[in-house]
């Protein structure tokens, strides 16, 4: 369907939950499906994804390596700088938190990244929405540190969009 769009999109952003329960075979199937995609694509993990499997099946997507946090776990946070709109992929998966969120390290990383290019139009894409969706059962699990995220974004008026997944709608 995407390949039939006219005009063809410049990029496809995938906001996670690409494999149910992170099954390795599911990522291999995803790779087969995405191989025919004409525009480039970038991914962030969702709460159903397994980061190590995602990285293993898509080794040429170096951005998936992200950075190691103090606890030794991988955070898939990165920037894509070669489009007119700067893209910031933000990993909002926190083990045990279905509603997602950000820890202090990821918030600091985001603030630093946004500060480096204060005039570059920027869009952030992530899995979990940091706001109420209007879907009762989804809104019971609050995004961890959403107020802090709002404060970081408020400091950076060049952030034009915040795109999320998670809701499966």
């Amino acid at each position: 369907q995407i390949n039939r769009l006219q005009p063809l999109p410049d990029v496809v952003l995938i906001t996670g939950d690409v494999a149910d329960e992170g099954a390795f075979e599911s990522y291999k199937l995803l790779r087969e499906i995405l191989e025919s995609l004409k525009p480039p694509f970038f991914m962030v993990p969702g709460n159903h994804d397994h980061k190590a499997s995602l990285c293993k099946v898509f080794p040429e997507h170096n951005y998936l390596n992200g950075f190691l946090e103090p606890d030794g776990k991988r955070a898939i946070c990165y920037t894509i700088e070669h489009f007119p709109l700067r893209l910031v992929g933000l990993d909002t998966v926190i083990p045990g938190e279905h509603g997602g969120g950000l820890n202090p390290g990821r918030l600091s990383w985001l603030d630093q990244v946004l500060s480096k290019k204060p005039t570059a139009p920027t869009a952030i894409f992530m899995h979990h929405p940091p706001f109420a969706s209007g879907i009762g059962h989804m809104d019971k699990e609050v995004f961890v540190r959403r107020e802090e995220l709002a404060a970081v974004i408020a400091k950076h008026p060049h952030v034009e969009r915040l795109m999320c997944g998670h809701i499966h709608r």
Side-chain angles (χ1 to χ4, degrees):
Q1 293 294 334
I2 292 172
N3 286 342
R4 285 189 239 153
L5 293 173
Q6 291 298 322
L8 194 65
D10 293 327
V11 65
V12 173
L13 303 176
I14 302 172
T15 58
D17 282 356
V18 296
D20 192 32
E21 301 306 324
F24 188 77
E25 292 301 317
S26 295
Y27 292 109
K28 288 173 50 179
L29 177 59
L30 175 68
R31 182 178 181 88
E32 289 176 27
I33 293 167
L34 292 175
E35 281 179 348
S36 66
L37 190 62
K38 291 177 184 175
F41 63 91
F42 300 95
M43 301 178 275
V44 290
N47 55 294
H48 291 282
D49 289 316
H50 185 263
K51 294 177 192 180
S53 295
L54 187 63
C55 292
K56 187 172 183 179
V57 173
F58 292 92
E60 71 282 7
H61 288 250
N62 296 335
Y63 63 86
L64 291 173
N65 291 323
F67 62 88
L68 290 179
E69 297 185 284
D71 63 2
K73 297 201 186 313
R74 186 170 309 283
I76 299 177
C77 299
Y78 57 93
T79 62
I80 303 298
E81 308 280 352
H82 56 271
F83 293 101
L85 183 66
R86 185 176 188 220
L87 303 172
V88 177
L90 189 58
D91 184 347
T92 59
V93 176
I94 296 178
E97 294 288 343
H98 186 261
L102 295 169
N103 59 27
R106 292 182 206 176
L107 281 166
S108 175
W109 176 88
L110 179 62
D111 191 34
Q112 290 172 19
V113 162
L114 295 175
S115 295
K116 285 181 184 173
K117 294 193 175 180
T119 61
T122 301
I124 299 170
F125 66 105
M126 52 201 242
H127 182 65
H128 300 88
F131 45 77
S133 67
I135 301 172
H137 72 281
M138 297 298 285
D139 293 342
K140 288 180 183 174
E141 297 171 326
V142 178
F143 187 93
V144 175
R145 293 188 181 82
R146 67 181 176 183
E147 293 82 11
E148 291 94 328
L149 173 60
V152 167
I153 291 173
K155 289 173 36 182
H156 302 283
H158 59 289
V159 175
E160 296 187 1
R161 298 284 184 274
L162 179 68
M163 298 171 277
C164 312
H166 188 56
I167 299 182
H168 301 261
R169 297 252 190 312

